[in-house]
Structure formats: structure tokens, C-alpha cells
């Protein structure tokens, strides 16, 4: 695709690596690469005025660090650990042990996380551009990505880079470059969208003494005004505050601006229906109010790029092993969708025996492309596999792997497909990544800050 009109475009100096999108995946990718390549060689492009994407705009809990079940294992490590360490040092995380669902969650203060992403990218010398939207990609005849065009308030800019990482969540870079992908909703119902919200002034002592979560879910079932009869509301790291994942907006193509606009409005409408319900029907919430809505409605999936390997449901449920693994995942397939009666449900399918499956390096490379990776929620997976492997423990690990791989490619001037896997895995292990299922059962009561956190 190329611009059909001719605006003034200012050329920026060429960089070794440009990362599009600064969510959990993009931040880890840029950080990992910049630490190996040195300052000023990696650019991180983000449309919002803060880093973190969904991790800071929508959510407050990392899942995927621990396997679910009675004997949890910690299966994520390295840069994601360092992100948590920094928040733990400020007293801004708590573990929420859970043997069900995606396992124990690492709950954090998302405002603190914005600062942590700033600090880490600054320390590594990443060039960050905020308020900058990717609008075009320019490719050579062989498909090689040459440059992109960025729209900002100070005009249009062209950035050239030797290598690229698409961490935009929606695969905007691959879409603009014309690389093949499939879209959620084309083959199966797309996962629903959620406007999360945070409430302050909750009397959690009273809530617990009146029956806590069980009571809340009972009351939700009886409340016909609610868009759905389920939903999670959990304590935040700040006293008297809760965060919810309850709203559901279905049948939205989040790459369609008109549909997305409607979804934003509907999500906020539903949030206030929940506020009224909580205040009127749930003991402990009498004086509570919404103090924060998601910056934008949370989008679970849109485009899924076709990579050198596509992760499948079978990979997940057979605990598949791959020689070129770059991360592990033990999270179940968690599919938020409409049921046959038109209501909402979440379908779960677990990796058997509390095991993990390997995520191959090849799922991070758009098929046949010579200088690009794709990480995070637009990586190469089917709908079901994506529904398992999209937790932020895994999206951060994908960023870590692609960031290190890109540094190897810059140094050796090779294509992503030519990266020596043993070298990549060795670098990942040195970073602290987990590539083998640990034998030790994890202590999920408390986070242990690594002594080497500022390595
Ligand atoms: C409602 C909801 C609840 C969830 N619950 C959990 C949970 O509790 N725990 C968990 O671990 N996971 C959860 N997930 C999944 C997880 O949050 C996501 O899969 C993950 O955050 C995706 O990270 P990402 O970096 O791939 O994408 P994102 O976080 O979406 O980041 C993409 C970034 O790219 C930027 N961008 C996009 N397009 C452009 C462009 N054209 N130009 C410039 N910048 C661009 C965006 O602004 C954004 O910052 C949830 C997801 C949703 C939606």
C-alpha cells in the first residue's frame, strides 16, 4: 500500500530496528534489542502518550507467569520478571493465587507500570515516539520492508530501518505491507471486547463479611439489567479499589473505525450499568464510584498474521514440543464468545496435566518475509491457540525473543529465518527466560524480587 496523495514527508535518520506499537510485547522487544545494540539504534513508535498498550490502558494483572492447577510452576522469566521486580520494589504488586483459569495473577498498579516502561526504555536507549500513528509501509519488490510513514501533529515522517517488529496488536504493519493474515470473525466468532473500569471507595471488609465473590456472583445472576450475568471484580494494589473485567461487546470488527466507535460508547454505557448494580445490590459498594474507565475498549483479537508456523489448538492441548521454542505457555484456551442462545459465555480448555506447550520461534516471523517479526496478540496462531497464548506473560516473552533475535540479525546481517536457534536460546536463557518446565513448584504467595534486577 502507498499513499495516493503527496504530503510533505520529513526523512528521519535510519535505525537498525523499528518497533511498531508499545504494548507489553513491543516494550519488551525494544528493550531487549536496545540493550544488546546500544543507545539510539532502536525506535519504538506508539500512537498513545504512554507506553504499555493494553497493559496500562486497560488492565492491571499479568497472567501466564504461572501454570494453573494445584502445583503451579513459574514458566515465564527474564525481562518480564524485571518489569514486575521494579513494581514490587515500590510495593505496587500483589500475587492473586488461583489454581483455576489462567492461574495465579500478578496484579500491579497500571499507573506505576507506565513509569516502569519509561524507565526501562530510557535506560536501554530506545528512541520513543509518542502520539505517532503508523499510516503507511513501503516495501521493495521482494517484499522487504524498506520504510514506513508516520502521522503526527508536527507533520509526516518517513522512517527507514534494517529490521522491523510489528507489535501493534492489530498487525497494522503487516497489513500495510501486504503480508497475509486472517481476521478474527472471518472464520469463527471474534472474541468479545471489554471496557474495563476501576472503582474506588469499596468497603472490602464488609463485602467479604457479606459473602464476598460467591455472593456477588449470585446477585449478578439475579440482575436482569446486566449485559451478562458473570464478570470479575478484584481488589487492586490500592486499598479500597477494585478493577473489573465485566463489560462485553460482541460482534465487533475492531479494525473498522465505525464499529469500534460504537463499541467504545456501548462499553462505557455498560460500565455505568454495572456501577449502578454494584452500588445498589452489592454490600460494601454503597459509596463506591467509577474512578477510571479503560483508555480505549479492550480488544482481544483482530488480525492474526500467517507466520512460518501457525500455533494450533492441537499444539496447545497436546503440550507440543518444538526444537525452536522461545517461550512456554501453560494457560488454557479461554474463549470469550457469544453462545448459541445469543448470551455470553467463556469456554475453557486446559493443557492436560498442568503441562506447558512450546511456542516456536517461527510463530514470530511473517511467512517468507526477510526483515520482519510479529509479536503479541497478532502473532501467528489460530483463533483457539491465540485464546491460550495471549496473556501478557507470553506477549512479553514473545517481545523478549524477537528483540534478541533482531539484535542477532543486525549483528550478523541475516534474515529472521537464519537466526541460529541455539544461539538465540542461549541468549534467552542468559536473560532469564524459562525454556524448560521447572521441576520446582512455585511459591505463589509472594513475589521474590531478583537480586540482579538491574542487570
Ligand atoms: C479485556 C481484556 C482482558 C484481558 N485480560 C488479561 C489479563 O487479565 N491478563 C493478561 O495477562 N492478559 C489479558 N488479556 C490479554 C492481553 O492483555 C493482551 O493479549 C496483550 O496485552 C496484548 O499485548 P500486545 O503488546 O500484543 O498488544 P497491545 O497491548 O494492544 O499493544 C499494541 C500497541 O500498539 C499501539 N498501536 C496500534 N496500532 C498502532 C499504529 N498504527 N501506530 C502506532 N501505534 C499503534 C497501541 O496503541 C498499543 O500501545 C486481556 C485482553 C483484553 C482485551
Amino acid at each position: 500500500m502507498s499513499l495516493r496523495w503527496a504530503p510533505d514527508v520529513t526523512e528521519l535518520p535510519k535505525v537498525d530496528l523499528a518497533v511498531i506499537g508499545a504494548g507489553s510485547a513491543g516494550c519488551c522487544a525494544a528493550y531487549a534489542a536496545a540493550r544488546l545494540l546500544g543507545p539510539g539504534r532502536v525506535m519504538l513508535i506508539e500512537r498513545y502518550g504512554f507506553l504499555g498498550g493494553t497493559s496500562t490502558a486497560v488492565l492491571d494483572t499479568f497472567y501466564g507467569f504461572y501454570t494453573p492447577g494445584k502445583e503451579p510452576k513459574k514458566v515465564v522469566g527474564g525481562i518480564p520478571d524485571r518489569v514486575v521486580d521494579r513494581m514490587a520494589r515500590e510495593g505496587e504488586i500483589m500475587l492473586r493465587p488461583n489454581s483455576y483459569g489462567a492461574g495465579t495473577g500478578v496484579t500491579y498498579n497500571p499507573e506505576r507500570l507506565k513509569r516502569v516502561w519509561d524507565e526501562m526504555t530510557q535506560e536501554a536507549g530506545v528512541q520513543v515516539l509518542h502520539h505517532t500513528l503508523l499510516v503507511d509501509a513501503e516495501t521493495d519488490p521482494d517484499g522487504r520492508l524498506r520504510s514506513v510513514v508516520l502521522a503526527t501533529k508536527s507533520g509526516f515522517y518517513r522512517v527507514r530501518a534494517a529490521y522491523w517488529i510489528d507489535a501493534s496488536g492489530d498487525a497494522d504493519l503487516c497489513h500495510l505491507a501486504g503480508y497475509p493474515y486472517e481476521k478474527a470473525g472471518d472464520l469463527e466468532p471474534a472474541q468479545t471486547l471489554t471496557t474495563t473500569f476501576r472503582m474506588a471507595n469499596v468497603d472490602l471488609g464488609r463485602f467479604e463479611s457479606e459473602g464476598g465473590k460467591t455472593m456477588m456472583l449470585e446477585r449478578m445472576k439475579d440482575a436482569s439489567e446486566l449485559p451478562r450475568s458473570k464478570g470479575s471484580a478484584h481488589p487492586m494494589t490500592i486499598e479500597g479499589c477494585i478493577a473489573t473485567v465485566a463489560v462485553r461487546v460482541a460482534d465487533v470488527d475492531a479494525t473498522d473505525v465505525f464499529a469500534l466507535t460504537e463499541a467504545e460508547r456501548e462499553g462505557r454505557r455498560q460500565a455505568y450499568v454495572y456501577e449502578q448494580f454494584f452500588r445498589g445490590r452489592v454490600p460494601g459498594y454503597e459509596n463506591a464510584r467509577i474512578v477510571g474507565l479503560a483508555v480505549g475498549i479492550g480488544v482481544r483479537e483482530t488480525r492474526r498474521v500467517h507466520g512460518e508456523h501457525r500455533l494450533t489448538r492441537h499444539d496447545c492441548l497436546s503440550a507440543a514440543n518444538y526444537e525452536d521454542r522461545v517461550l512456554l505457555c501453560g494457560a488454557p484456551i479461554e474463549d470469550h464468545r457469544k453462545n448459541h442462545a445469543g448470551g455470553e459465555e467463556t469456554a475453557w480448555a486446559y493443557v492436560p496435566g498442568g503441562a506447558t506447550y512450546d511456542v516456536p520461534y517461527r510463530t514470530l516471523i511473517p511467512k517468507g518475509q526477510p526483515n520482519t517479526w510479529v509479536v503479541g496478540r497478532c502473532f501467528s496462531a489460530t483463533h483457539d491457540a491465540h485464546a491460550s497464548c495471549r496473556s501478557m506473560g507470553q506477549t512479553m516473552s514473545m517481545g523478549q525473543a524477537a528483540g534478541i533475535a533482531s539484535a542477532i540479525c543486525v549483528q550478523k546481517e541475516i534474515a529472521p529465518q537464519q537466526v541460529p536457534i541455539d544461539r538465540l536460546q542461549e541468549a534467552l536463557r542468559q536473560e532469564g527466560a524459562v525454556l524448560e518446565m521447572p521441576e520446582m513448584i512455585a511459591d505463589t504467595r509472594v513475589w521474590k524480587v531478583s537480586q540482579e534486577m538491574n542487570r
Side-chain angles (χ1 to χ4, degrees):
M1 185 167 165
S2 67
L3 294 175
R4 286 179 193 89
W5 45 289
D8 284 339
V9 180
T10 307
E11 301 277 339
L12 295 176
K14 188 175 176 184
V15 289
D16 287 328
L17 172 72
V19 180
I20 308 294
S24 50
C27 287
C28 287
Y31 175 78
R35 282 199 336 144
L36 295 171
L37 293 172
R41 297 176 67 178
V42 176
M43 183 177 273
L44 179 58
I45 292 150
E46 169 56 44
R47 68 177 159 168
Y48 287 147
F50 55 88
L51 301 179
T54 306
S55 73
T56 48
V58 181
L59 297 175
D60 77 336
T61 300
F62 293 140
Y63 283 117
F65 276 72
Y66 301 96
T67 55
K70 292 213 166 62
E71 298 189 339
K73 305 277 176 71
K74 185 164 175 293
V75 294
V76 164
I79 292 169
D81 275 358
R82 245 165 278 151
V83 173
V84 179
D85 283 349
R86 285 178 187 239
M87 292 190 282
R89 217 173 35 169
E90 303 298 335
E92 299 235 56
I93 71 134
M94 64 184 183
L95 295 187
R96 289 194 292 121
N98 191 5
S99 58
Y100 184 71
T104 290
V106 182
T107 293
Y108 53 84
N109 178 354
E111 304 307 323
R112 170 65 64 182
L113 181 55
K114 288 179 186 166
R115 276 298 300 143
V116 165
W117 292 128
D118 281 345
E119 288 162 9
M120 291 178 71
T121 49
Q122 269 165 354
E123 285 166 19
V126 177
Q127 290 184 54
V128 175
L129 273 183
H130 280 303
H131 300 295
T132 302
L133 186 71
L134 168 78
V135 291
D136 198 14
E138 296 161 325
T139 53
D140 291 334
D142 66 351
R144 174 179 291 271
L145 249 170
R146 188 176 57 239
S147 53
V148 298
V149 178
L150 307 172
T152 76
K153 284 197 184 244
S154 51
F156 291 92
Y157 294 92
R158 175 172 286 107
V159 174
R160 294 177 196 278
Y163 295 92
W164 303 87
I165 297 181
D166 187 343
S168 64
D170 297 323
D172 281 8
L173 180 62
C174 290
H175 166 67
L176 292 167
Y179 297 166
Y181 58 81
E182 63 197 23
K183 219 154 99 181
D186 285 353
L187 301 171
E188 65 291 294
Q191 295 231 23
T192 53
L193 282 65
T194 300
T195 304
T196 55
F197 59 90
R198 298 157 193 167
M199 294 182 83
N201 221 14
V202 182
D203 183 343
L204 283 166
R206 177 165 151 68
F207 172 73
E208 287 304 334
S209 68
E210 293 283 340
K213 192 173 165 188
T214 312
M215 170 272 296
M216 181 188 82
L217 289 173
E218 280 304 313
R219 304 236 165 148
M220 277 183 160
K221 262 195 233 156
D222 298 339
S224 56
E225 75 277 20
L226 290 183
R228 61 188 279 257
S229 58
K230 284 186 186 149
S232 102
H234 60 260
M236 297 182 65
T237 55
I238 300 156
E239 215 178 312
C241 295
I242 62 106
T244 74
V245 184
V247 163
R248 290 234 171 138
V249 184
D251 296 329
V252 180
D253 172 0
T255 61
D256 173 338
V257 69
F258 300 100
L260 191 56
T261 301
E262 271 313 301
E264 294 283 6
R265 289 188 189 174
E266 172 60 15
R268 284 190 285 270
R269 185 193 70 76
Q270 288 186 22
Y272 278 93
V273 173
Y274 276 101
E275 188 200 63
Q276 209 170 8
F277 159 79
F278 277 112
R279 283 169 56 81
R281 312 270 287 267
V282 182
Y285 280 76
E286 293 83 353
N287 299 312
R289 286 283 186 195
I290 288 180
V291 290
L293 291 159
V295 175
I297 192 165
V299 175
R300 291 186 170 84
E301 61 169 350
T302 51
R303 302 185 185 108
R304 300 186 302 266
V305 172
H306 287 168
E308 296 288 354
H309 177 91
R310 285 180 79 214
L311 197 71
T312 63
R313 182 184 181 89
H314 182 260
D315 285 331
C316 305
L317 299 185
S318 66
N321 294 122
Y322 287 101
E323 288 292 313
D324 65 336
R325 69 189 172 283
V326 285
L327 59 133
L328 306 182
C329 182
I333 295 171
E334 179 188 351
D335 195 357
H336 298 258
R337 63 188 182 193
K338 251 177 153 177
N339 63 25
H340 295 304
E344 296 290 323
E345 65 179 19
T346 305
W348 299 89
Y350 283 82
V351 186
T356 54
Y357 57 87
D358 295 343
V359 180
Y361 172 59
R362 286 162 294 146
T363 61
L364 309 183
I365 309 171
K367 196 168 176 52
Q369 300 311 330
N371 63 342
T372 308
W373 292 263
V374 59
V375 295
R377 67 178 172 82
C378 46
F379 85 120
S380 177
T382 63
H383 170 78
D384 286 344
H386 176 275
S388 161
C389 201
R390 68 194 168 86
S391 290
M392 292 184 281
Q394 279 64 43
T395 57
M396 287 191 282
S397 301
M398 291 179 206
Q400 169 169 261
I404 292 175
S406 69
I408 295 173
C409 287
V410 169
Q411 284 153 357
K412 294 172 83 86
E413 296 187 12
I414 54 174
Q417 292 83 346
Q418 295 169 313
V419 168
I421 293 303
D422 49 355
R423 176 155 173 209
L424 174 59
Q425 290 176 334
E426 189 192 319
L428 281 165
R429 287 193 186 94
Q430 270 172 14
E431 194 65 71
V434 181
L435 299 184
E436 282 81 31
M437 180 68 149
E439 284 181 9
M440 224 169 67
I441 296 171
D443 181 354
T444 53
R445 290 165 305 176
V446 63
W447 181 267
K448 289 189 187 64
V449 175
S450 156
Q451 294 305 310
E452 297 177 282
M453 59 178 286
N454 287 320
R455 271 189 304 145

